[in-house]
Amino acid sequence: MYIPQSTYRLQFHADFNLSRLRDILDYLQALGISTVYASPILAARLGSTHGYDVIDPLQINPEIGTEAALTEIAEELRKRNIGWIQDIVPNHMAFDPANPWITSLLELGPRSPYFEHFDVDWWNEHPDNYGKLMLPILGESLTSVLDSDQLRLSFDDLGLAVRYYENRIPLSAASYTGVLTNIIDQTSDPEDKAQFTRLLVALEPFALDIAGAANPDEWHHFKNQWQDVFLKDKFRLTLTEAIEQLNDNDAFIQELLDKQHFRLVYWKKTEREIYYRRFFTVNDLICLNMQNPTVFDDYHQLLSALIQKDIIQGLRIDHVDGLFDPTQYLERLRNLVGSDTYLVVEKILEEEEVIPNEWPIQGTTGYDFLVQVNRFFSSSTQSDQLSKLYRLWEPEERSYTDIVYDNKMFIFRERMQGELNNLFRSLETLKIIPEANTASSEELQAALAHMLVAFPVYRIYDNQLPLAEESLQLLGKIFSEAQNKAPQLSAAFDTLRAIFNGVPDKSEEVNKNTLYFIQRCQQFSGPLAAKGIEDTTFYQYYRLISRNEVGDNPDHLGMITNELHQWLQSRSLLTMNATSTHDTKRGEDARIRINTLSEQVDEWTKLSTKWKNDHRQYCTEVAGKCYPTNNDVYFVYQTLVGTYPFHISPLEDNYTERLGNYLEKAVREGKANTNWSSPNADYEKSLADFTKSILSNADFLAELTDFAQPLARKSVTYSLGQTVLKAMAPGVPDIYQGTEFWDLSMVDPDNRRPVDYSARRLLLEQFSQDSDTLSQARQLIANPDDPAIKMYTLYHSLQLRKRWPALFAESYYQPLKVTGKYAAHVLAFLRRHQDRFVLVVIPREVIQLLSEDSYFLLGAQWEDTEVAIPELPAGFWRHEFTGEIVHRSETSLPISAILQHFPIAILTNQQS
C-alpha cells in the first residue's frame, strides 16, 4: 500500500493550476514532501476557488488543466518519488445548469438517465412541486419576478432556456414543441413549414409523456438538428422574432413554466420548505444518492481510471458523514481502488469517539490531532480565571452546552425546518410508528427535533438491525438529554425510542423501513451539528477563540502532559496529522498566539478591560442599543492578538481590508446581531467603524504592540513545538500550503491567499547550503519575528523523516519521564526502530517562566530538569536543529543540555 511520509495540501483553481504546480516541484522535493495532497480537481463551477462545487466528475477542471497535463505531472512526480492524494466530493455536486447531469434533469425530467442520481423528493406533497425540481434562485417571489419581466425566454447554442439575470435555465423537451408550433403557425412558406414540421416530428419521442429513460445520445442528436436549422440566418431571425413575441405573452410564459421539470422559488423559501437534500444549508450544492450503485459507478469513472494509471495513489473523502451509508460507500470504494490505495476520510471526531473498525481506511485527515495539540498548548490551570474574565464581557447565564443546544435547535427551526418536515413526513409515510404511540404528530415532530439536536456526535453508522450496542448506549444518552430539555414530550420520546432501538421483530418491510429512517436521520444530524456549532456557536462564544476550532470543544481548556501521552500512544501510524486546513477557523500560529492569553490571564484582564472602557467612544448607539456588542468587541481584541502582522507591514499584508472582511463574515455567521439572510447594515457598519477607529488610534496600537508582540515572540516556542509534534508523532504530517511561514490567516477565503514560493525557495536554498547548523540556529532565535525559524524547524523535521522512513512507518510512541523543577513543562517521547532512535523534547506553559526581555527558555534556566531515557545501545545524541552532540549518562539527559541553544529538540542516536 502507498503510505505518504508527508503531505502538502494545495488549493487548485484558475490562478494556481497544474502549470503552477510544476514550478514548485523542486521546492516541494527539497523541503522533504513525499506527497502532493490536492484539493478537488474535477470540473467545477466556473471561477471556483475551492473545487467542492463539482459540475462534471468525468473531466478535469479545465481552469486547472487537462488529463494529459495531469499525466505529465504524474510522470514528473514519479521521477521525484512524490505521490498524489486526491480530495474527492462524493456527497454533493453544484446545483447549476452548467452541471450536465442537472441540465439533463431539467430537459428530460423523469426520462433523464440521471433522474435518480440526486437526492430529490420528486413526489412530494406540494401541489406545485410534485414531480419537479425546486430551483431556489429568485430574489423575490415568482409573481413579482414575472410582473417585472425579470424572466425571459431565450435561445443560444445550447438550446432553449429561461434567463434570470446571470442564470440560464435549460427548458424541457416539451418546451421546444410550443415554440416550434408557434413558428409553424406563423410560417407561410411551404418548404420552411415542412422543415419545421420534420423537426417537430423528431422531437416527439422526447416531448411525449411516456415511461422509460430517454437515450441521451438521441436527445443530443435532436438538439444538433435544431441548431442546424436555426443557425441559418433567416431561420435564426425567425426564431428571434418568435421568442420576442412569446416573451410579451404572459399567458404563454406562465404556461411554459408550468410545463417545466423545475419550479422557480424565492431563495429564502428553503429555510421552511425544501424538496432536495443540500450540503448543510447551501442551496446551490445538491446532494447525491451515492448509495445507488449506478450513481457510484457513474461518479467514480475518471477517478478510477486515474488510480489504475497510477496517477493518483490516495484519496481523501470529503464529508463522509453526509453519505446515506458511509460504511457501504467506503467498502465499495476500497473494492474499486484496490488494496494499495491510501484512503483517509474527513471526519470530525467528538470527545471519545473513534472511527468505526469496519471502515477499510487508513485514518482521518487529522482534525483530531489538531484538537489535541491545541489543547496541549493551552493552559491546563487557568480555565476558571478565563471564564471569570469572559463574564465581564458576556455575562451569559447559559452554559456552553446550553448555547450549543439552543443554536442547533435554532438552525433546525429557522434554517432547516424544511428538512425537519421532510424527515417527519418520511416517518409517517414509512408506517413505522408503533401502534402503542399516544403522542400527536406535532409532539412527535418536536421530539424528533430535540432528539437530533441532542446528538453529541455527528452521527451513528449502523447499516443493519439490531443496532450495535455502542449505538444503543449513545442513543440512551441522547434520549435522556432530549427528554431533560423537553420533559413534556415524554410520550413522544417513548415512541421514538422504540423506533430507534431498532429491534428486528417486525415484518421485513417494517424492519427495512425502520433502518432506512434511522440512516436517513443521520444525514441531517451532521449538518445540524456543523451549522449549529462550527458556524454559529463558534461565532458567539468567545472565552478563548483559539479553541473555537473544527472538532474542538471550547468549553474545555488545556490538558496535562500525561493525557497527551496516552492519546498519542493509541494513535495510528497511518492517519494524517493536521494543524491547518482549508476549513480551519484561523491559522495554526494565530491559534497558538491566542492560546498564550490563557497563560497571561491577569495581564490580559487588566489590558482588555482598559480597552473596553477607553473605546466606548467608538461605539454607535442605534435604537437605544450600543453597537457593536461587548462580546464582538472582545472577539476583535483577541483576533488582533492572534493575527496582527508584527513581522511585516500591515499595509503590505493588506491587513485592514482582510480583517474587515473577516469580521463581517464572523458576525453574520454568529447570527446574533446580523446574518447572511437579512444583513443588519447598521450593525455591520458600527463594527467596521469601531475597528477602523481603534486601528487608527496610536495609543491603542502602542499598547497592543507592547503587550502582544512580546507574547507573539514567546509563543514561537509553541509554534515550533506544534511543528515538531506534527512531524514526529505517530501519523503522517500534513502541511497546508504556505504554512512553512507564520500562519496568521483568518477563516476562508483568507486562508486561500496566494503563497509566495519564491521567498520560501530562497530561504530553503540558504538552509541546505549552510552546513553550520549551530550558527544558523543561533541566528534564528535572535530574531523570533522572522518566519525563517519555523521553516527551518519544519525542514529539518521532514528531512529526518525522509532519511529514516522505516522508523516513522513502523515505530510506536514511547513516553519518557521528566523529572526536576520544571518537569510539568516538558513533553518528551521516543520513537525507536531497530538500532535507530529519535528523542523529542517540547516545552509547554513556559511563558510565566520567562523573564520580561527573554523569549526562549534555554540552557541553565531549566535548572535540574531532566528526561529519563530507557536502556539504549551505547552512543551519543545529535541535535537535529543545532548539530550539537549531547552526551548522556546511563539513565537521563539534562534539559539544560538538550535545549541549550534552541527551544525545541529532536535528538537522533549516533554510534560512538
Side-chain angles (χ1 to χ4, degrees), residues 377 588-596 599 646-647 708-725 740-744 777 779-794 842-847 850 854-858 881 902-905:
F377 287 112
E588 59 189 50
D589 300 302
R591 283 199 311 273
I592 287 289
R593 280 189 182 184
I594 298 167
N595 279 344
T596 60
E599 296 183 51
F646 296 111
H647 65 292
Q709 188 170 36
L711 204 56
R713 291 168 176 167
K714 292 176 181 180
S715 75
V716 167
T717 293
Y718 303 159
S719 285
L720 304 186
Q722 179 174 244
T723 300
V724 168
L725 190 54
E740 309 93 301
F741 281 12
W742 300 134
D743 180 15
L744 306 180
Q779 290 175 13
L780 290 168
I781 65 170
N783 185 10
D785 291 339
D786 193 334
I789 191 171
K790 182 183 180 185
M791 188 169 180
Y792 178 86
T793 303
L794 176 65
I842 299 173
R844 63 168 310 196
E845 294 189 78
V846 297
I847 287 178
L850 294 168
S854 176
Y855 303 129
F856 301 107
L857 200 66
L858 298 173
F881 299 128
F902 205 74
I904 306 291

Side-chain angles (χ1 to χ4, degrees), residues 67-100:
E67 189 173 342
L70 182 62
T71 302
E72 292 177 6
I73 286 286
E75 287 295 328
E76 184 66 29
L77 292 174
R78 196 172 292 114
K79 294 175 185 176
R80 301 168 182 269
N81 199 29
I82 296 176
W84 186 290
I85 292 175
Q86 183 57 56
D87 191 352
I88 64 173
V89 196
N91 179 68
H92 57 269
M93 294 177 72
F95 194 4
D96 190 316
N99 181 335

Side-chain angles (χ1 to χ4, degrees), residues 305-457:
L306 294 176
I307 289 172
Q308 290 175 11
K309 294 175 183 177
D310 199 31
I311 292 173
I312 291 175
Q313 290 77 41
L315 295 175
R316 179 258 198 198
I317 297 90
D318 180 67
H319 191 44
V320 71
D321 283 339
L323 301 172
F324 181 77
D325 189 343
T327 303
Q328 175 202 69
Y329 171 80
L330 292 171
E331 289 171 347
R332 284 179 177 168
L333 186 64
R334 175 57 75 191
N335 289 334
L336 178 70
V337 303
S339 59
D340 291 335
T341 303
Y342 181 76
L343 295 182
V344 290
V345 297
E346 187 233 10
K347 169 75 185 110
I348 306 303
L349 293 169
E350 302 286 356
E351 299 298 329
E352 303 300 321
E353 187 183 11
V354 296
I355 289 289
N357 290 328
E358 62 269 24
W359 285 6
I361 62 173
Q362 278 57 67
T364 73
T365 54
Y367 285 116
D368 51 342
F369 180 84
L370 183 156
V371 167
Q372 297 300 324
V373 172
N374 204 20
R375 291 178 181 176
F376 179 71
F377 287 112
S378 303
S379 170
S380 58
T381 62
Q382 298 296 306
S383 179
D384 290 343
Q385 288 84 342
L386 273 175
S387 296
K388 182 179 179 182
L389 167 59
Y390 186 44
R391 283 193 291 273
L392 297 177
W393 288 91
E394 179 67 10
E396 174 65 72
E397 295 294 334
R398 295 176 299 163
S399 66
Y400 173 76
T401 54
D402 285 340
I403 296 172
V404 167
Y405 197 98
D406 292 346
N407 281 331
K408 289 173 72 175
M409 186 61 75
F410 168 84
I411 294 295
F412 228 166
R413 297 296 192 193
E414 301 299 326
R415 298 292 185 268
M416 296 176 64
Q417 181 67 47
E419 281 87 351
L420 177 58
N421 293 340
N422 294 344
L423 279 174
F424 186 71
R425 187 169 66 251
S426 174
L427 174 62
E428 293 186 314
T429 304
L430 291 169
K431 300 186 184 307
I432 59 175
I433 299 175
E435 294 181 2
N437 171 57
T438 61
S440 67
S441 293
E442 292 76 14
E443 290 171 330
L444 276 177
Q445 180 164 329
L448 178 61
H450 277 283
M451 179 256 181
L452 292 175
V453 165
F455 262 71
V457 294

Side-chain angles (χ1 to χ4, degrees), residues 39-213:
S39 67
I41 60 170
L42 299 180
R45 187 181 281 122
L46 186 66
S48 175
T49 60
H50 49 75
Y52 289 98
D53 44 359
V54 174
I55 60 170
D56 188 352
L58 303 184
Q59 68 165 319
I60 303 299
N61 187 344
E63 292 189 303
I64 294 173
T66 63
E67 189 173 342
L70 182 62
T71 302
E72 292 177 6
I73 286 286
E75 287 295 328
E76 184 66 29
L77 292 174
R78 196 172 292 114
K79 294 175 185 176
R80 301 168 182 269
N81 199 29
I82 296 176
W84 186 290
I85 292 175
Q86 183 57 56
D87 191 352
I88 64 173
V89 196
N91 179 68
H92 57 269
M93 294 177 72
F95 194 4
D96 190 316
N99 181 335
W101 294 5
I102 294 293
T103 293
S104 178
L105 285 182
L106 298 176
E107 293 180 335
L108 299 175
R111 303 193 62 206
S112 165
Y114 305 106
F115 185 69
E116 295 184 350
H117 278 49
F118 295 98
D119 197 345
V120 178
D121 183 8
W122 289 102
W123 316 115
N124 52 73
E125 63 180 0
H126 195 292
D128 297 327
N129 211 113
Y130 189 78
K132 292 180 181 287
L133 186 60
M134 183 181 188
L135 280 183
I137 62 170
L138 302 182
E140 52 191 322
S141 71
L142 178 59
T143 300
S144 299
V145 167
L146 291 173
D147 288 345
S148 55
D149 292 328
Q150 298 175 52
L151 211 61
R152 308 292 290 175
L153 176 63
S154 71
F155 74 96
D156 53 29
D157 292 346
L158 299 176
L160 292 176
V162 164
R163 292 277 184 179
Y164 175 69
Y165 294 101
E166 73 277 6
N167 296 282
R168 180 194 179 277
I169 309 153
L171 294 181
S172 66
S175 305
Y176 288 75
T177 302
V179 174
L180 269 175
T181 301
N182 183 275
I183 291 174
I184 291 170
D185 290 344
Q186 299 186 42
T187 300
S188 57
D189 186 289
E191 291 186 9
D192 293 350
K193 189 182 288 281
Q195 188 167 6
F196 294 145
T197 302
R198 286 194 296 271
L199 199 56
L200 190 63
V201 172
L203 179 62
E204 284 183 1
F206 309 102
L208 295 176
D209 187 13
I210 57 178

